[in-house]
Amino acid sequence: MKKFFVSLCMVASCMFVHAQDCAIPMQVVVPDDVEGMTPLSANYIKNVLNRVLVGGNDVAQFINCQFGIVVKPDIVEKHIIAGSPQKTVLNLSLTLYIGDIQQGTLFSSYTMDVNGVGDNDTKAYNSAIRRLNAQNRNLNDFIDSGKKKIIEWYDNNYQNIIMKAKTAASIRNYEEALYELLSIPECSTGYAAAVAQIKIVYQEYIDRQCEENLAQAQAAWMTGFSKENAAVASVFLSEIYPDAACYGDAMQLVAEIKKHMGEEWKFEMKQWSDLASIESQRLTYAREIAMAYAQNQPQQIIHLLYR
């Protein structure tokens, strides 16, 4: 299997692909060494496939996805039509591959032919790419089939993912553990087990972070009751979650700072929203923690799924 380091300008971030009300993290990969491909053409392909993937649902970002669609366009035929101006005619074979792009495992593929005409090679290429239609039934069936195979993969491997997360949490790599657990889709048979473990890891993480941030905030404030020290303390206090074990102690420090600083200090601690359930908000916070972790990780090598 061919593989390469991802060119960030040519590859979209992962998104949660919605299938039967289930969010599956995937990404669209367009290689940056394709003959005739311009950034404009690459972006068009990604936009069309993204619309098919999300099915009208909102896109949520997920970094370093394990699964994706790899796009491979090949120029089959090219000829020039004489005239003023002359025209370039291109026939492209556009092949899409769905699979595990981290391990190089191919799940399925789909090929379509598209034709384009333009005043030059680039315009003809772009014209052909625009034949790719998000409403194409065969394209949608292909993607739906790929989604099902990804869900099957999680059904067969979720226990290994949970074990990996437990190992990471045991050495206090809580962010990594949450990232691994949150990759398991809701429609997988392992989702309930993953959520149960998320709750454990999340609580361990926020309790530890609370202790550390509260200690830093207290140290900053106790060096002198000033506006500057209050601002430093607020940075650490803002990282404390509402269900952390030391949240009450943090609120006492907030009250003390407000007592000295008066109304000019407008800081507010994280609180639960009345518009959503606490369990839902806990999962949202856990996802924020995982995404912050992922954004600091190096971009992984992506396998192109074709030889």
Side-chain angles (χ1 to χ4, degrees), residues 126-190:
N126 291 342
S127 172
I129 292 299
R130 285 186 172 83
R131 302 288 182 182
L132 182 63
N133 188 345
Q135 304 305 316
N136 184 313
R137 175 179 289 275
N138 291 332
L139 174 61
N140 280 271
D141 289 345
F142 156 71
I143 291 176
D144 286 343
S145 174
K147 294 173 184 176
K148 291 177 182 177
K149 291 182 179 180
I150 291 172
I151 294 170
E152 289 175 2
W153 185 93
Y154 278 107
D155 288 346
N156 294 326
N157 291 277
Y158 75 87
Q159 292 179 331
N160 293 333
I161 296 173
I162 292 175
M163 183 60 64
K164 182 178 179 181
K166 287 181 177 179
T167 300
S170 69
I171 56 175
R172 296 181 175 176
N173 288 342
Y174 302 117
E175 300 96 328
E176 178 185 351
L178 289 172
Y179 178 83
E180 293 291 341
L181 293 166
L182 284 162
S183 72
I184 299 175
E186 186 173 354
C187 48
S188 167
T189 55

Side-chain angles (χ1 to χ4, degrees), residues 78-90 116-119:
K78 168 185 168 181
H79 63 272
I80 306 298
I81 299 177
S84 181
Q86 69 178 17
K87 297 290 185 180
T88 300
V89 179
L90 285 180
V117 180
D119 294 339

